[in-house]
Amino acid sequence: MRLLICAKAVIFSMLIMLHLPLFAEQGQATYQLCSACHGAQGEGNSALNAPVLAGQFDWYLQRQLQHFAADLRADDTRDVNGKMMVPFAKQLTDPEPTKQLLNYINSFEPVSFKGSLKGDLKNGSRYYQAKCGACHGGSAQGNSAFNAPKLAGQDPQYLFLQIANYQQGIRGTHQADKYGRQMAMMANTVSDKELQDIVFFITEQQ
Ligand code: HEC
Ligand code: HEC
């Protein structure tokens, strides 16, 4: 009897051991769809305007994938970069492989763009804390409670592009895009001069 329990335990743990790498491999295999644009380690690609995925919250990435797939994001014909994402997001309809994919992306090391921009850090910090920090966190680390993504460690070129998209009504206009609409309102409160220093501050955070 004891032997039987023992044998069952061995078989059970073997099954788990077999499954764990299988799940990890599944995420990695699905990521092959993404790496050409987002980089092998989710480091992004400025030449393709593809953002960094490494270090970003999985709940935020998941929401963006759902929004691309449901045409809540990149629904505007002017959104040429967003349109590139849509067919890939539409392939991720099954929740389980998507979960494995997000787990795999979660294993990537965050990247840094420190030193890549110029600006006034003191002004940037002041504007950032006044206009962005309440939602995105004091060091641009993001805040799950406010559904606000991490901005530190993101490609500054992508940050500028997204804010311009929000300001021009290219992103964050769909009726059902509650968080995007919230952000679009905030984007309209900054001037170009303030934005340069704000993005400089964000880029220096990581
Ligand atoms: C053909 C190039 C390309 C491929 C392939 C691609 N993406 Fe993207 N992705 C982009 C671009 C460009 C953007 C930026 C869109 C924008 O400017 O709004 C983006 C944006 C995203 C975003 C939003 C990030 C953010 O910070 O809001 C997520 C999440 C994402 N991609 C995940 C994926 C995943 C997962 C895959 C693979 C299943 C994938 N992408 C495949 C080009 C690509
Ligand atoms: C009221 C809260 C709030 C404030 C204040 C706010 N944001 Fe956001 N921001 C959000 C939310 C929520 C999202 C996620 C939108 C979504 O899910 O589509 C977001 C998204 C973004 C994005 C897109 C990130 C990506 O990966 O695509 C950028 C860039 C951004 N915010 C920059 C800023 C900057 C710069 C400021 C200050 C000028 C600011 N935000 C102020 C709530 C806020």
Side-chain angles (χ1 to χ4, degrees), residues 104-122:
Y104 181 66
I105 293 174
N106 236 340
S107 73
F108 297 150
E109 283 297 315
V111 291
S112 173
F113 291 85
K114 226 174 178 165
S116 67
L117 281 190
K118 286 193 169 41
D120 183 323
L121 196 60
K122 207 164 149 231

Side-chain angles (χ1 to χ4, degrees), residues 51-52 56 59-61 63-64 67 72-73 127-136 143 146-151 154 158-164 166 171-172 177-190 194-195 198-199 202:
V52 173
Q56 187 55 274
W59 53 260
Y60 172 76
L61 297 176
R63 184 165 73 222
Q64 298 314 303
H67 282 189
L72 300 191
R73 181 170 169 184
Y127 301 142
Y128 175 86
Q129 301 305 345
K131 298 191 171 185
C132 325
C135 294
H136 290 282
N143 187 336
F146 294 124
N147 291 289
K150 183 179 166 195
L151 303 173
Q154 183 53 273
Y158 171 79
L159 294 174
F160 281 121
L161 276 173
Q162 293 311 302
I163 292 162
Y166 282 122
R171 182 176 172 187
D177 185 5
K178 185 174 150 202
Y179 303 117
R181 287 162 67 93
Q182 206 178 34
M183 184 49 222
M185 244 162 61
M186 300 318 301
N188 284 314
T189 69
V190 285
E194 288 171 336
L195 196 60
I198 287 175
V199 175
I202 293 172

Side-chain angles (χ1 to χ4, degrees), residues 91-99:
Q91 285 183 50
L92 301 171
T93 46
D94 226 341
E96 193 52 40
T98 306
K99 203 172 133 217

Side-chain angles (χ1 to χ4, degrees), residues 33-34 37-38 48-51 53 60-61 64-65 68 73 79 81-82 84-85 88 92 101 105 154 158 162 171:
L33 283 173
C34 327
C37 294
H38 290 283
L48 299 173
N49 296 305
L53 302 179
Y60 172 76
L61 297 176
Q64 298 314 303
L65 290 172
F68 281 123
R73 181 170 169 184
D79 194 354
N81 296 324
M84 285 211 277
M85 236 341 270
F88 296 96
L92 301 171
L101 171 67
I105 293 174
Q154 183 53 273
Y158 171 79
Q162 293 311 302
R171 182 176 172 187

